[in-house]
Amino acid sequence: MERKLWEEALVEEVIYLIAHLAHAEQHLMELEGETKLEDLITYIDELRNRRKSVGNLLFSILEVSGESGGEFRSKVESLWCTLKHLSMAMVHCDESAEKVIRRLDCAMAQGREEEAKKLSEKLKELYDLRQALRNSIRELLFEVSKKLTKGPAVRCREDLCVLEGEENALQGPERVSQTA
């Protein structure tokens, strides 16, 4: 029982670590796209590699493995991509809740009770969504990951799989979003 609690606590922290690294990467990609400051590409790639290292660490701790490479992702790589997107969604949900809380506080301070009530309901919806995302992540890591041999490999449409020799054809944010 103690090992399971330890693993669950670790997964919680690692998921947030992955999400925040991906979020930082996203912000630098946006900045690079706006400024065309190519010096940022190195930092973006460094964040991506650190995020992947954290994912590999998580999978090794949970003893989830699979082959990688080729045009399409392996089942583990597909799981990784899904976890990355779900973890970022959970952080965005948290940020959305913070914004709703600010609006709720303002409405309450100004005596707009009906608006405050509606915002309170929206906040509960966001918290319910967050809990559902969290549960999905946990199920994927603790249950589905053990059954990965039964599903087809898929490819994330957001990622570009650049073939050798094509690296120079991409510029700006497109270049740095080659991999998950």
Side-chain angles (χ1 to χ4, degrees):
M1 181 68 167
E2 184 177 312
R3 180 170 189 237
K4 184 177 182 198
L5 289 175
W6 176 85
E7 282 182 344
E8 289 179 10
L10 175 64
V11 166
E12 290 278 330
E13 294 303 323
V14 171
I15 288 298
Y16 265 99
L17 176 58
I18 291 166
H20 286 292
L21 286 170
H23 223 148
E25 180 185 337
Q26 179 183 7
H27 285 301
L28 284 181
M29 287 172 53
E30 291 167 0
L31 182 60
E32 193 278 334
E34 292 170 6
T35 64
K36 306 297 184 214
L37 183 61
E38 291 187 14
D39 292 350
L40 294 174
I41 292 172
T42 302
Y43 294 103
I44 294 166
D45 288 340
E46 185 177 314
L47 285 172
R48 178 179 300 111
N49 288 329
R50 287 182 183 175
R51 178 174 40 81
K52 288 179 179 183
S53 294
V54 171
N56 287 333
L57 175 67
L58 175 64
F59 283 167
S60 77
I61 289 169
L62 296 177
E63 299 174 354
V64 176
S65 63
E67 296 177 17
S68 65
E71 180 183 355
F72 292 95
R73 296 177 179 280
S74 72
K75 293 163 188 73
V76 168
E77 289 169 327
S78 294
L79 176 63
W80 162 247
C81 192
T82 301
L83 290 170
K84 175 187 72 170
H85 289 289
L86 284 173
S87 67
M88 288 182 70
M90 198 165 71
V91 168
H92 283 293
C93 194
D94 291 344
E95 290 181 351
S96 297
E98 288 175 19
K99 288 174 176 43
V100 170
I101 289 169
R102 281 191 216 119
R103 288 181 66 189
L104 176 63
D105 285 343
C106 184
M108 289 172 54
Q110 295 176 357
R112 299 187 320 254
E113 292 179 25
E114 191 61 35
E115 182 180 348
K117 182 179 178 182
K118 288 179 184 178
L119 288 168
S120 180
E121 291 168 3
K122 297 299 178 192
L123 185 60
K124 182 177 179 337
E125 289 178 34
L126 281 169
Y127 285 144
D128 289 346
L129 173 61
R130 185 195 188 285
Q131 187 62 39
L133 292 169
R134 183 177 174 269
N135 289 343
S136 293
I137 290 168
R138 293 178 70 195
E139 287 174 20
L140 286 169
L141 284 172
F142 290 110
E143 296 171 29
V144 175
S145 67
K146 307 302 182 206
K147 305 172 189 174
L148 284 177
T149 58
K150 298 180 180 176
V154 295
R155 180 174 166 187
C156 179
R157 296 178 191 266
E158 298 290 319
D159 296 330
L160 299 175
C161 293
V162 178
L163 301 175
E164 280 189 42
E166 291 182 336
E167 294 91 356
N168 296 330
L170 296 175
Q171 308 213 355
E174 293 85 15
R175 191 195 86 60
V176 295
S177 64
Q178 294 174 34
T179 59

